[in-house]
Amino acid sequence: MLQFAGFWMALATFLGIWWGHVGVRWLEAHSRSIWIPIVVLAVVGVGLNLAALLMPSILPNASADVLLTLSGVASIIGITLMWDGLEMYRQQNRIKKGHAPANRANPRHAAYLAAGMGTTEDLLAREPQGYLVNAPAPHQPVPHNASADRHSVVAQREYAEVESA
Amino acid sequence: MMWEGLALGFFSFGIIGFGFYWVIRLERFGGYLWWPYPMAIGILMIIVTLFLPDAGWSALLGITGGSFIWGATELKEQAVRAELGWFPFNPDKKDPPGVNWIKRIKAPHL
């Protein structure tokens, strides 16, 4: 009889890492504040690890192999979600440095762009060339002109709020 | 209390951390075209897990296999990061066996 514990662990590990890459990028790009998702990821992560610990009480009639599999999967996903909370913060720094594309529709990202940080270009969306390439210069600051561009004023104010937080 | 599950979670955390290390090293000294090799190792590990009688060893090998498959998908992006100067770039990489065959396949990435 085949042993599926390893297969489910492999799937949980791969999906945990996949979400940590693709999901965190999306969540950071679409969240007005990163702190709410960070708290949610941390709480869900801790909850899943508690569930992993208490699995024999949750499923008292399950076999030892099933308990180990479910407990392991819950803990793997839980720990990767907790790490993703930290990755949200690191992703924000990547946006500021221009290592990940900023989303103009996100006021927080618009504030970075207005302050001359980051870029909307996805520099990683290309094939490797085999030699060093020059990264484009960071986005130029938007001139402060309230009558011409109300959004830049809002963005500058939100940037100041983000920096002072 | 089931501490084994929590131990598996921490093991996956460690093996993912090790994954970042070997992906950076393999890309620097070999290049991203090595990607089929960790991919094959990962798939092989997962196949082996199906035939292990002990669920614990099967779980540990499955986690390692899953992280190897992810590492294979990360090599291409790591190559781009190195070319952009975000990581040290090595121009004298050692090509993998079967490099001409590998070049015909689009390298996967997340």
mmCIF file of all heavy atoms in Angstrom, chain A residues 2-3 6 9-10 17 21 25 49 53 65 68 71 75 79 83 99 126-133, chain B residues 1-2 4-6 9-10 13 49-53 55 58 62 70 74 76-77 80 82-83 86 89 106:
data_model
loop_
_atom_site.group_PDB
_atom_site.id
_atom_site.type_symbol
_atom_site.label_atom_id
_atom_site.label_comp_id
_atom_site.label_asym_id
_atom_site.label_seq_id
_atom_site.Cartn_x
_atom_site.Cartn_y
_atom_site.Cartn_z
ATOM 1 N N LEU A 2 0.492 2.215 -0.822
ATOM 2 C CA LEU A 2 1.313 3.429 -0.947
ATOM 3 C C LEU A 2 1.171 4.323 0.283
ATOM 4 O O LEU A 2 0.111 4.395 0.900
ATOM 5 C CB LEU A 2 0.906 4.199 -2.205
ATOM 6 C CG LEU A 2 1.187 3.519 -3.547
ATOM 7 C CD1 LEU A 2 0.674 4.373 -4.690
ATOM 8 C CD2 LEU A 2 2.657 3.228 -3.731
ATOM 9 N N GLN A 3 2.272 5.029 0.587
ATOM 10 C CA GLN A 3 2.322 5.956 1.732
ATOM 11 C C GLN A 3 2.189 7.390 1.196
ATOM 12 O O GLN A 3 3.086 7.856 0.485
ATOM 13 C CB GLN A 3 3.659 5.777 2.463
ATOM 14 C CG GLN A 3 3.966 6.795 3.514
ATOM 15 C CD GLN A 3 2.992 6.749 4.658
ATOM 16 O OE1 GLN A 3 2.038 7.526 4.687
ATOM 17 N NE2 GLN A 3 3.203 5.819 5.577
ATOM 18 N N GLY A 6 4.184 11.743 2.626
ATOM 19 C CA GLY A 6 5.219 12.549 1.980
ATOM 20 C C GLY A 6 4.671 13.383 0.839
ATOM 21 O O GLY A 6 5.058 14.546 0.665
ATOM 22 N N MET A 9 2.880 16.363 2.267
ATOM 23 C CA MET A 9 3.856 17.319 2.820
ATOM 24 C C MET A 9 4.522 18.102 1.693
ATOM 25 O O MET A 9 4.736 19.309 1.801
ATOM 26 C CB MET A 9 4.944 16.592 3.615
ATOM 27 C CG MET A 9 4.457 15.810 4.776
ATOM 28 S SD MET A 9 3.776 16.830 6.068
ATOM 29 C CE MET A 9 2.888 15.586 6.966
ATOM 30 N N ALA A 10 4.882 17.373 0.616
ATOM 31 C CA ALA A 10 5.528 18.035 -0.525
ATOM 32 C C ALA A 10 4.583 19.076 -1.129
ATOM 33 O O ALA A 10 4.995 20.207 -1.442
ATOM 34 C CB ALA A 10 5.914 16.999 -1.569
ATOM 35 N N ILE A 17 5.224 27.793 -0.279
ATOM 36 C CA ILE A 17 6.245 28.667 -0.869
ATOM 37 C C ILE A 17 5.635 29.461 -2.031
ATOM 38 O O ILE A 17 5.919 30.642 -2.206
ATOM 39 C CB ILE A 17 7.461 27.848 -1.355
ATOM 40 C CG1 ILE A 17 8.082 27.066 -0.206
ATOM 41 C CG2 ILE A 17 8.499 28.779 -1.954
ATOM 42 C CD1 ILE A 17 9.153 26.065 -0.647
ATOM 43 N N HIS A 21 5.401 33.571 -2.424
ATOM 44 C CA HIS A 21 5.946 34.381 -3.517
ATOM 45 C C HIS A 21 4.826 35.153 -4.216
ATOM 46 O O HIS A 21 4.785 36.370 -4.184
ATOM 47 C CB HIS A 21 6.663 33.494 -4.529
ATOM 48 C CG HIS A 21 8.043 33.098 -4.097
ATOM 49 N ND1 HIS A 21 8.280 32.253 -3.052
ATOM 50 C CD2 HIS A 21 9.258 33.461 -4.563
ATOM 51 C CE1 HIS A 21 9.583 32.110 -2.898
ATOM 52 N NE2 HIS A 21 10.204 32.834 -3.805
ATOM 53 N N ARG A 25 3.172 38.960 -3.021
ATOM 54 C CA ARG A 25 3.341 40.066 -3.979
ATOM 55 C C ARG A 25 1.997 40.720 -4.268
ATOM 56 O O ARG A 25 1.875 41.946 -4.269
ATOM 57 C CB ARG A 25 3.926 39.538 -5.298
ATOM 58 C CG ARG A 25 5.383 39.219 -5.242
ATOM 59 C CD ARG A 25 5.820 38.632 -6.574
ATOM 60 N NE ARG A 25 7.070 37.904 -6.426
ATOM 61 C CZ ARG A 25 7.483 36.957 -7.249
ATOM 62 N NH1 ARG A 25 6.755 36.616 -8.294
ATOM 63 N NH2 ARG A 25 8.619 36.354 -7.050
ATOM 64 N N ASN A 49 -0.837 26.372 13.658
ATOM 65 C CA ASN A 49 0.136 25.631 14.468
ATOM 66 C C ASN A 49 -0.489 25.087 15.750
ATOM 67 O O ASN A 49 -0.141 23.982 16.192
ATOM 68 C CB ASN A 49 1.345 26.523 14.783
ATOM 69 C CG ASN A 49 2.338 26.519 13.636
ATOM 70 O OD1 ASN A 49 2.891 25.482 13.307
ATOM 71 N ND2 ASN A 49 2.530 27.656 13.020
ATOM 72 N N LEU A 53 -0.861 21.130 16.825
ATOM 73 C CA LEU A 53 -0.557 20.581 18.156
ATOM 74 C C LEU A 53 -1.738 19.791 18.727
ATOM 75 O O LEU A 53 -1.572 18.760 19.370
ATOM 76 C CB LEU A 53 -0.221 21.722 19.120
ATOM 77 C CG LEU A 53 1.244 22.108 19.297
ATOM 78 C CD1 LEU A 53 1.350 23.276 20.262
ATOM 79 C CD2 LEU A 53 2.065 20.938 19.804
ATOM 80 N N ASP A 65 -1.102 7.772 11.223
ATOM 81 C CA ASP A 65 -0.559 8.332 9.976
ATOM 82 C C ASP A 65 -1.376 9.531 9.504
ATOM 83 O O ASP A 65 -0.829 10.531 9.040
ATOM 84 C CB ASP A 65 -0.527 7.264 8.872
ATOM 85 C CG ASP A 65 0.650 6.311 9.047
ATOM 86 O OD1 ASP A 65 1.362 6.442 10.070
ATOM 87 O OD2 ASP A 65 0.849 5.453 8.173
ATOM 88 N N LEU A 68 -0.595 12.490 11.773
ATOM 89 C CA LEU A 68 0.717 13.070 11.470
ATOM 90 C C LEU A 68 0.641 13.894 10.187
ATOM 91 O O LEU A 68 1.189 14.997 10.117
ATOM 92 C CB LEU A 68 1.768 11.965 11.318
ATOM 93 C CG LEU A 68 3.181 12.475 11.048
ATOM 94 C CD1 LEU A 68 3.788 13.109 12.282
ATOM 95 C CD2 LEU A 68 4.092 11.368 10.535
ATOM 96 N N SER A 71 -1.495 17.095 10.861
ATOM 97 C CA SER A 71 -0.773 17.969 11.772
ATOM 98 C C SER A 71 0.418 18.606 11.055
ATOM 99 O O SER A 71 0.666 19.814 11.185
ATOM 100 C CB SER A 71 -0.299 17.145 12.983
ATOM 101 O OG SER A 71 0.440 17.934 13.851
ATOM 102 N N SER A 75 0.939 22.597 10.202
ATOM 103 C CA SER A 75 2.092 23.328 10.727
ATOM 104 C C SER A 75 2.923 23.939 9.593
ATOM 105 O O SER A 75 3.399 25.078 9.715
ATOM 106 C CB SER A 75 2.955 22.397 11.575
ATOM 107 O OG SER A 75 4.004 23.128 12.148
ATOM 108 N N ILE A 79 3.426 27.867 9.532
ATOM 109 C CA ILE A 79 4.742 28.521 9.657
ATOM 110 C C ILE A 79 5.039 29.366 8.414
ATOM 111 O O ILE A 79 5.573 30.473 8.529
ATOM 112 C CB ILE A 79 5.831 27.464 9.935
ATOM 113 C CG1 ILE A 79 5.722 27.026 11.403
ATOM 114 C CG2 ILE A 79 7.230 28.018 9.653
ATOM 115 C CD1 ILE A 79 6.691 25.989 11.853
ATOM 116 N N TRP A 83 5.747 33.424 8.310
ATOM 117 C CA TRP A 83 6.894 34.013 7.617
ATOM 118 C C TRP A 83 6.415 35.031 6.562
ATOM 119 O O TRP A 83 7.056 36.063 6.349
ATOM 120 C CB TRP A 83 7.737 32.920 6.954
ATOM 121 C CG TRP A 83 8.943 33.486 6.272
ATOM 122 C CD1 TRP A 83 9.099 33.717 4.934
ATOM 123 C CD2 TRP A 83 10.159 33.929 6.886
ATOM 124 N NE1 TRP A 83 10.333 34.264 4.680
ATOM 125 C CE2 TRP A 83 11.007 34.411 5.858
ATOM 126 C CE3 TRP A 83 10.612 33.967 8.204
ATOM 127 C CZ2 TRP A 83 12.273 34.925 6.116
ATOM 128 C CZ3 TRP A 83 11.880 34.483 8.447
ATOM 129 C CH2 TRP A 83 12.694 34.952 7.419
ATOM 130 N N HIS A 99 12.915 46.930 -6.683
ATOM 131 C CA HIS A 99 13.178 45.521 -6.990
ATOM 132 C C HIS A 99 11.899 44.755 -7.294
ATOM 133 O O HIS A 99 11.948 43.576 -7.633
ATOM 134 C CB HIS A 99 13.928 44.859 -5.836
ATOM 135 C CG HIS A 99 15.360 45.310 -5.733
ATOM 136 N ND1 HIS A 99 16.277 44.719 -4.906
ATOM 137 C CD2 HIS A 99 16.027 46.310 -6.373
ATOM 138 C CE1 HIS A 99 17.449 45.332 -5.034
ATOM 139 N NE2 HIS A 99 17.318 46.305 -5.905
ATOM 140 N N ARG A 126 11.757 39.040 -17.365
ATOM 141 C CA ARG A 126 12.544 38.928 -18.574
ATOM 142 C C ARG A 126 13.362 37.643 -18.518
ATOM 143 O O ARG A 126 13.485 37.025 -17.464
ATOM 144 C CB ARG A 126 13.475 40.133 -18.724
ATOM 145 C CG ARG A 126 14.210 40.498 -17.447
ATOM 146 C CD ARG A 126 15.105 41.680 -17.634
ATOM 147 N NE ARG A 126 16.303 41.316 -18.344
ATOM 148 C CZ ARG A 126 17.399 40.800 -17.765
ATOM 149 N NH1 ARG A 126 17.420 40.597 -16.468
ATOM 150 N NH2 ARG A 126 18.445 40.475 -18.466
ATOM 151 N N GLU A 127 13.895 37.267 -19.659
ATOM 152 C CA GLU A 127 14.723 36.060 -19.712
ATOM 153 C C GLU A 127 16.161 36.424 -19.316
ATOM 154 O O GLU A 127 16.626 37.531 -19.629
ATOM 155 C CB GLU A 127 14.724 35.485 -21.140
ATOM 156 C CG GLU A 127 13.385 34.909 -21.576
ATOM 157 C CD GLU A 127 12.960 33.706 -20.753
ATOM 158 O OE1 GLU A 127 13.780 32.800 -20.568
ATOM 159 O OE2 GLU A 127 11.810 33.690 -20.284
ATOM 160 N N PRO A 128 16.882 35.522 -18.653
ATOM 161 C CA PRO A 128 18.295 35.792 -18.356
ATOM 162 C C PRO A 128 19.095 35.944 -19.651
ATOM 163 O O PRO A 128 18.840 35.251 -20.632
ATOM 164 C CB PRO A 128 18.726 34.540 -17.587
ATOM 165 C CG PRO A 128 17.469 33.907 -17.111
ATOM 166 C CD PRO A 128 16.425 34.225 -18.114
ATOM 167 N N GLN A 129 20.065 36.891 -19.648
ATOM 168 C CA GLN A 129 20.838 37.171 -20.848
ATOM 169 C C GLN A 129 22.236 36.533 -20.822
ATOM 170 O O GLN A 129 22.872 36.411 -21.853
ATOM 171 C CB GLN A 129 21.003 38.689 -21.007
ATOM 172 C CG GLN A 129 19.695 39.467 -21.004
ATOM 173 C CD GLN A 129 18.807 39.093 -22.175
ATOM 174 O OE1 GLN A 129 19.242 39.128 -23.316
ATOM 175 N NE2 GLN A 129 17.577 38.704 -21.890
ATOM 176 N N GLY A 130 22.721 36.231 -19.616
ATOM 177 C CA GLY A 130 24.066 35.669 -19.511
ATOM 178 C C GLY A 130 25.130 36.721 -19.276
ATOM 179 O O GLY A 130 26.323 36.410 -19.282
ATOM 180 N N TYR A 131 24.736 37.974 -19.126
ATOM 181 C CA TYR A 131 25.696 39.039 -18.826
ATOM 182 C C TYR A 131 25.010 40.089 -17.954
ATOM 183 O O TYR A 131 23.781 40.120 -17.859
ATOM 184 C CB TYR A 131 26.223 39.684 -20.117
ATOM 185 C CG TYR A 131 25.139 40.089 -21.094
ATOM 186 C CD1 TYR A 131 24.463 41.301 -20.965
ATOM 187 C CD2 TYR A 131 24.783 39.255 -22.154
ATOM 188 C CE1 TYR A 131 23.470 41.665 -21.851
ATOM 189 C CE2 TYR A 131 23.783 39.608 -23.043
ATOM 190 C CZ TYR A 131 23.139 40.824 -22.893
ATOM 191 O OH TYR A 131 22.134 41.179 -23.765
ATOM 192 N N LEU A 132 25.828 40.943 -17.335
ATOM 193 C CA LEU A 132 25.284 41.997 -16.467
ATOM 194 C C LEU A 132 24.500 42.998 -17.301
ATOM 195 O O LEU A 132 24.931 43.374 -18.396
ATOM 196 C CB LEU A 132 26.415 42.717 -15.729
ATOM 197 C CG LEU A 132 26.944 42.052 -14.455
ATOM 198 C CD1 LEU A 132 28.218 42.736 -14.002
ATOM 199 C CD2 LEU A 132 25.902 42.107 -13.345
ATOM 200 N N VAL A 133 23.368 43.404 -16.811
ATOM 201 C CA VAL A 133 22.560 44.410 -17.517
ATOM 202 C C VAL A 133 22.385 45.614 -16.597
ATOM 203 O O VAL A 133 22.481 45.495 -15.380
ATOM 204 C CB VAL A 133 21.175 43.858 -17.935
ATOM 205 C CG1 VAL A 133 21.321 42.744 -18.940
ATOM 206 C CG2 VAL A 133 20.387 43.397 -16.733
ATOM 207 N N MET B 1 -1.362 16.535 22.803
ATOM 208 C CA MET B 1 -0.446 17.389 22.036
ATOM 209 C C MET B 1 0.319 16.554 21.008
ATOM 210 O O MET B 1 0.821 15.486 21.348
ATOM 211 C CB MET B 1 0.576 18.046 22.976
ATOM 212 C CG MET B 1 -0.020 19.067 23.905
ATOM 213 S SD MET B 1 -0.271 20.634 23.072
ATOM 214 C CE MET B 1 -0.783 21.643 24.437
ATOM 215 N N MET B 2 0.395 17.073 19.790
ATOM 216 C CA MET B 2 1.115 16.348 18.749
ATOM 217 C C MET B 2 2.297 17.204 18.296
ATOM 218 O O MET B 2 2.173 18.043 17.404
ATOM 219 C CB MET B 2 0.171 16.065 17.582
ATOM 220 C CG MET B 2 0.822 15.245 16.509
ATOM 221 S SD MET B 2 -0.359 14.231 15.671
ATOM 222 C CE MET B 2 0.706 13.029 14.925
ATOM 223 N N GLU B 4 4.971 16.200 16.808
ATOM 224 C CA GLU B 4 5.606 15.763 15.558
ATOM 225 C C GLU B 4 5.213 16.673 14.386
ATOM 226 O O GLU B 4 6.042 16.995 13.538
ATOM 227 C CB GLU B 4 5.206 14.318 15.219
ATOM 228 C CG GLU B 4 5.696 13.276 16.209
ATOM 229 C CD GLU B 4 4.662 12.994 17.287
ATOM 230 O OE1 GLU B 4 3.872 13.907 17.632
ATOM 231 O OE2 GLU B 4 4.632 11.855 17.786
ATOM 232 N N GLY B 5 3.932 17.078 14.379
ATOM 233 C CA GLY B 5 3.464 17.952 13.296
ATOM 234 C C GLY B 5 4.184 19.292 13.326
ATOM 235 O O GLY B 5 4.621 19.811 12.287
ATOM 236 N N LEU B 6 4.330 19.835 14.529
ATOM 237 C CA LEU B 6 5.031 21.109 14.690
ATOM 238 C C LEU B 6 6.500 20.968 14.259
ATOM 239 O O LEU B 6 7.070 21.868 13.629
ATOM 240 C CB LEU B 6 4.946 21.557 16.144
ATOM 241 C CG LEU B 6 4.959 23.056 16.404
ATOM 242 C CD1 LEU B 6 3.792 23.736 15.723
ATOM 243 C CD2 LEU B 6 4.937 23.331 17.898
ATOM 244 N N GLY B 9 6.703 21.186 10.621
ATOM 245 C CA GLY B 9 6.586 22.579 10.189
ATOM 246 C C GLY B 9 7.918 23.306 10.304
ATOM 247 O O GLY B 9 8.338 24.006 9.375
ATOM 248 N N PHE B 10 8.611 23.111 11.432
ATOM 249 C CA PHE B 10 9.916 23.762 11.612
ATOM 250 C C PHE B 10 10.958 23.169 10.668
ATOM 251 O O PHE B 10 11.844 23.887 10.189
ATOM 252 C CB PHE B 10 10.371 23.659 13.073
ATOM 253 C CG PHE B 10 9.728 24.704 13.936
ATOM 254 C CD1 PHE B 10 8.663 24.393 14.774
ATOM 255 C CD2 PHE B 10 10.162 26.023 13.884
ATOM 256 C CE1 PHE B 10 8.054 25.366 15.545
ATOM 257 C CE2 PHE B 10 9.561 27.004 14.653
ATOM 258 C CZ PHE B 10 8.501 26.681 15.478
ATOM 259 N N PHE B 13 10.493 24.860 7.443
ATOM 260 C CA PHE B 13 11.042 26.221 7.547
ATOM 261 C C PHE B 13 12.555 26.188 7.311
ATOM 262 O O PHE B 13 13.106 26.995 6.544
ATOM 263 C CB PHE B 13 10.714 26.777 8.933
ATOM 264 C CG PHE B 13 11.136 28.194 9.133
ATOM 265 C CD1 PHE B 13 10.474 29.228 8.491
ATOM 266 C CD2 PHE B 13 12.190 28.505 9.967
ATOM 267 C CE1 PHE B 13 10.865 30.541 8.674
ATOM 268 C CE2 PHE B 13 12.589 29.817 10.161
ATOM 269 C CZ PHE B 13 11.919 30.844 9.509
ATOM 270 N N THR B 49 8.895 8.715 -1.561
ATOM 271 C CA THR B 49 8.069 8.814 -0.334
ATOM 272 C C THR B 49 6.860 7.876 -0.377
ATOM 273 O O THR B 49 6.395 7.413 0.661
ATOM 274 C CB THR B 49 7.517 10.242 -0.109
ATOM 275 O OG1 THR B 49 6.631 10.581 -1.166
ATOM 276 C CG2 THR B 49 8.612 11.266 -0.010
ATOM 277 N N LEU B 50 6.361 7.621 -1.583
ATOM 278 C CA LEU B 50 5.165 6.782 -1.728
ATOM 279 C C LEU B 50 5.426 5.343 -1.281
ATOM 280 O O LEU B 50 4.498 4.609 -0.939
ATOM 281 C CB LEU B 50 4.688 6.787 -3.175
ATOM 282 C CG LEU B 50 4.214 8.125 -3.738
ATOM 283 C CD1 LEU B 50 3.969 8.033 -5.230
ATOM 284 C CD2 LEU B 50 2.941 8.592 -3.031
ATOM 285 N N PHE B 51 6.720 4.948 -1.304
ATOM 286 C CA PHE B 51 7.044 3.558 -1.021
ATOM 287 C C PHE B 51 7.718 3.370 0.350
ATOM 288 O O PHE B 51 8.146 2.274 0.676
ATOM 289 C CB PHE B 51 7.947 3.004 -2.134
ATOM 290 C CG PHE B 51 7.274 3.071 -3.477
ATOM 291 C CD1 PHE B 51 7.549 4.111 -4.354
ATOM 292 C CD2 PHE B 51 6.338 2.118 -3.850
ATOM 293 C CE1 PHE B 51 6.915 4.202 -5.579
ATOM 294 C CE2 PHE B 51 5.696 2.204 -5.071
ATOM 295 C CZ PHE B 51 5.973 3.244 -5.945
ATOM 296 N N LEU B 52 7.817 4.465 1.117
ATOM 297 C CA LEU B 52 8.400 4.335 2.456
ATOM 298 C C LEU B 52 7.322 3.876 3.437
ATOM 299 O O LEU B 52 6.225 4.437 3.465
ATOM 300 C CB LEU B 52 8.978 5.681 2.919
ATOM 301 C CG LEU B 52 10.235 6.168 2.187
ATOM 302 C CD1 LEU B 52 10.658 7.531 2.718
ATOM 303 C CD2 LEU B 52 11.378 5.179 2.336
ATOM 304 N N PRO B 53 7.612 2.867 4.238
ATOM 305 C CA PRO B 53 6.582 2.378 5.166
ATOM 306 C C PRO B 53 6.292 3.339 6.315
ATOM 307 O O PRO B 53 5.178 3.399 6.819
ATOM 308 C CB PRO B 53 7.173 1.060 5.691
ATOM 309 C CG PRO B 53 8.634 1.143 5.428
ATOM 310 C CD PRO B 53 8.842 2.077 4.272
ATOM 311 N N ALA B 55 5.559 6.841 8.007
ATOM 312 C CA ALA B 55 4.974 8.139 7.620
ATOM 313 C C ALA B 55 5.898 9.303 7.965
ATOM 314 O O ALA B 55 5.948 10.295 7.231
ATOM 315 C CB ALA B 55 3.623 8.320 8.309
ATOM 316 N N SER B 58 8.685 9.485 5.382
ATOM 317 C CA SER B 58 8.016 9.881 4.132
ATOM 318 C C SER B 58 7.740 11.386 4.154
ATOM 319 O O SER B 58 7.959 12.082 3.152
ATOM 320 C CB SER B 58 6.710 9.091 3.995
ATOM 321 O OG SER B 58 5.986 9.520 2.881
ATOM 322 N N GLY B 62 9.314 14.107 1.700
ATOM 323 C CA GLY B 62 8.348 14.857 0.883
ATOM 324 C C GLY B 62 8.581 16.360 0.978
ATOM 325 O O GLY B 62 8.561 17.073 -0.027
ATOM 326 N N TRP B 70 10.566 23.625 -5.834
ATOM 327 C CA TRP B 70 10.481 25.077 -5.788
ATOM 328 C C TRP B 70 11.818 25.709 -6.174
ATOM 329 O O TRP B 70 11.876 26.659 -6.955
ATOM 330 C CB TRP B 70 10.070 25.564 -4.395
ATOM 331 C CG TRP B 70 10.498 26.967 -4.183
ATOM 332 C CD1 TRP B 70 9.964 28.080 -4.757
ATOM 333 C CD2 TRP B 70 11.619 27.411 -3.404
ATOM 334 N NE1 TRP B 70 10.670 29.191 -4.376
ATOM 335 C CE2 TRP B 70 11.690 28.805 -3.547
ATOM 336 C CE3 TRP B 70 12.556 26.767 -2.598
ATOM 337 C CZ2 TRP B 70 12.674 29.561 -2.910
ATOM 338 C CZ3 TRP B 70 13.521 27.512 -1.968
ATOM 339 C CH2 TRP B 70 13.565 28.890 -2.132
ATOM 340 N N GLU B 74 13.032 28.617 -8.997
ATOM 341 C CA GLU B 74 13.554 29.898 -8.520
ATOM 342 C C GLU B 74 14.856 30.285 -9.226
ATOM 343 O O GLU B 74 15.248 31.459 -9.208
ATOM 344 C CB GLU B 74 13.783 29.791 -7.004
ATOM 345 C CG GLU B 74 14.141 31.074 -6.287
ATOM 346 C CD GLU B 74 13.020 32.102 -6.248
ATOM 347 O OE1 GLU B 74 11.885 31.762 -6.597
ATOM 348 O OE2 GLU B 74 13.306 33.250 -5.878
ATOM 349 N N LYS B 76 15.772 30.621 -12.354
ATOM 350 C CA LYS B 76 15.723 31.591 -13.452
ATOM 351 C C LYS B 76 15.611 33.026 -12.912
ATOM 352 O O LYS B 76 16.328 33.920 -13.371
ATOM 353 C CB LYS B 76 14.528 31.271 -14.355
ATOM 354 C CG LYS B 76 14.441 32.157 -15.577
ATOM 355 C CD LYS B 76 13.352 31.657 -16.490
ATOM 356 C CE LYS B 76 12.547 32.780 -17.046
ATOM 357 N NZ LYS B 76 11.478 32.317 -17.929
ATOM 358 N N GLU B 77 14.729 33.224 -11.950
ATOM 359 C CA GLU B 77 14.577 34.563 -11.380
ATOM 360 C C GLU B 77 15.857 34.998 -10.666
ATOM 361 O O GLU B 77 16.233 36.174 -10.696
ATOM 362 C CB GLU B 77 13.393 34.588 -10.409
ATOM 363 C CG GLU B 77 12.431 35.710 -10.737
ATOM 364 C CD GLU B 77 11.128 35.611 -9.987
ATOM 365 O OE1 GLU B 77 11.163 35.651 -8.753
ATOM 366 O OE2 GLU B 77 10.082 35.491 -10.652
ATOM 367 N N VAL B 80 18.250 36.391 -13.170
ATOM 368 C CA VAL B 80 17.914 37.770 -13.550
ATOM 369 C C VAL B 80 18.366 38.734 -12.446
ATOM 370 O O VAL B 80 18.929 39.800 -12.735
ATOM 371 C CB VAL B 80 16.398 37.906 -13.822
ATOM 372 C CG1 VAL B 80 16.025 39.354 -14.093
ATOM 373 C CG2 VAL B 80 15.990 37.025 -14.992
ATOM 374 N N ALA B 82 20.847 38.369 -10.398
ATOM 375 C CA ALA B 82 22.311 38.506 -10.465
ATOM 376 C C ALA B 82 22.706 39.405 -11.643
ATOM 377 O O ALA B 82 23.605 40.233 -11.516
ATOM 378 C CB ALA B 82 22.950 37.129 -10.593
ATOM 379 N N GLU B 83 22.024 39.263 -12.765
ATOM 380 C CA GLU B 83 22.348 40.096 -13.941
ATOM 381 C C GLU B 83 22.022 41.567 -13.701
ATOM 382 O O GLU B 83 22.623 42.446 -14.308
ATOM 383 C CB GLU B 83 21.580 39.578 -15.160
ATOM 384 C CG GLU B 83 22.131 38.263 -15.680
ATOM 385 C CD GLU B 83 21.331 37.701 -16.831
ATOM 386 O OE1 GLU B 83 20.436 38.395 -17.353
ATOM 387 O OE2 GLU B 83 21.601 36.553 -17.213
ATOM 388 N N TRP B 86 21.872 42.695 -8.287
ATOM 389 C CA TRP B 86 21.334 42.590 -6.926
ATOM 390 C C TRP B 86 22.051 41.499 -6.137
ATOM 391 O O TRP B 86 21.961 41.447 -4.915
ATOM 392 C CB TRP B 86 19.826 42.304 -6.958
ATOM 393 C CG TRP B 86 19.021 43.351 -7.664
ATOM 394 C CD1 TRP B 86 19.470 44.597 -8.063
ATOM 395 C CD2 TRP B 86 17.666 43.274 -8.079
ATOM 396 N NE1 TRP B 86 18.468 45.265 -8.698
ATOM 397 C CE2 TRP B 86 17.336 44.489 -8.724
ATOM 398 C CE3 TRP B 86 16.679 42.297 -7.976
ATOM 399 C CZ2 TRP B 86 16.073 44.747 -9.255
ATOM 400 C CZ3 TRP B 86 15.414 42.547 -8.499
ATOM 401 C CH2 TRP B 86 15.126 43.771 -9.128
ATOM 402 N N PHE B 89 27.523 38.521 -9.584
ATOM 403 C CA PHE B 89 27.372 37.884 -10.899
ATOM 404 C C PHE B 89 28.670 37.186 -11.277
ATOM 405 O O PHE B 89 29.747 37.776 -11.187
ATOM 406 C CB PHE B 89 27.020 38.944 -11.951
ATOM 407 C CG PHE B 89 26.898 38.384 -13.331
ATOM 408 C CD1 PHE B 89 25.753 37.707 -13.718
ATOM 409 C CD2 PHE B 89 27.929 38.524 -14.259
ATOM 410 C CE1 PHE B 89 25.635 37.178 -14.998
ATOM 411 C CE2 PHE B 89 27.810 38.002 -15.539
ATOM 412 C CZ PHE B 89 26.664 37.333 -15.906
ATOM 413 N N LYS B 106 11.575 26.014 -21.937
ATOM 414 C CA LYS B 106 11.437 27.256 -21.176
ATOM 415 C C LYS B 106 11.543 26.939 -19.686
ATOM 416 O O LYS B 106 10.808 26.092 -19.169
ATOM 417 C CB LYS B 106 10.072 27.892 -21.486
ATOM 418 C CG LYS B 106 9.948 29.335 -21.033
ATOM 419 C CD LYS B 106 8.641 29.909 -21.554
ATOM 420 C CE LYS B 106 8.320 31.228 -20.935
ATOM 421 N NZ LYS B 106 9.280 32.284 -21.217
#
